């Protein structure tokens, strides 16, 4: 686990870069994973009808990279308007 202020500074640096969006998203996911020692972190786009994975940590993509925004834990997070953290 790293210092939260350090992680926030790194995320700000990533957000202001001008390289490809997917590269920034991958770096942001890894930064978040390292900051809290999470096993896996994914970042998603949410549209009016679906949730689409845009970046994740590790080499294996999510089992369902695109799904209706009413399904799964991500759908629950969208409906609640807040993150859902699973400690499995």
């Amino acid at each position: 686990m790293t210092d939260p202020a350090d992680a926030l500074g790194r995320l700000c640096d990533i957000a202001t870069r001008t390289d490809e969006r997917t590269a920034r998203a991958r770096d942001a996911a890894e930064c978040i994973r390292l900051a809290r020692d999470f096993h896996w972190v994914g970042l998603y786009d949410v549209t009016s009808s679906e949730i689409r994975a845009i970046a994740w940590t590790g080499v294996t993509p999510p089992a369902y990279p695109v799904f209706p925004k009413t399904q799964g834990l991500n759908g629950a997070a969208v409906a609640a308007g807040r993150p859902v953290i699973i400690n499995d």
Side-chain angles (χ1 to χ4, degrees):
M1 192 144 90
T2 61
D3 177 38
D6 181 48
L8 184 57
R10 286 193 325 240
L11 285 170
C12 287
D13 289 343
I14 292 167
T16 58
R17 290 184 344 212
T18 58
D19 57 333
E20 195 173 274
R21 180 177 186 241
T22 54
R24 292 190 317 266
R26 278 192 305 270
D27 290 348
E30 184 62 15
C31 179
I32 294 165
R33 188 190 70 75
L34 291 171
R36 296 300 299 263
D37 200 28
F38 290 134
H39 176 71
W40 189 90
V41 172
L43 299 178
Y44 296 82
D45 270 338
V46 179
T47 70
S48 61
S49 62
E50 69 182 14
I51 299 173
R52 179 179 300 274
I54 58 171
W56 53 88
T57 58
V59 295
T60 305
Y64 301 98
V66 180
F67 50 91
K69 81 173 200 177
T70 57
Q71 289 187 345
L73 292 170
N74 290 336
V78 169
R82 61 184 182 85
V84 174
I85 298 173
I86 303 301
N87 293 315
D88 62 351

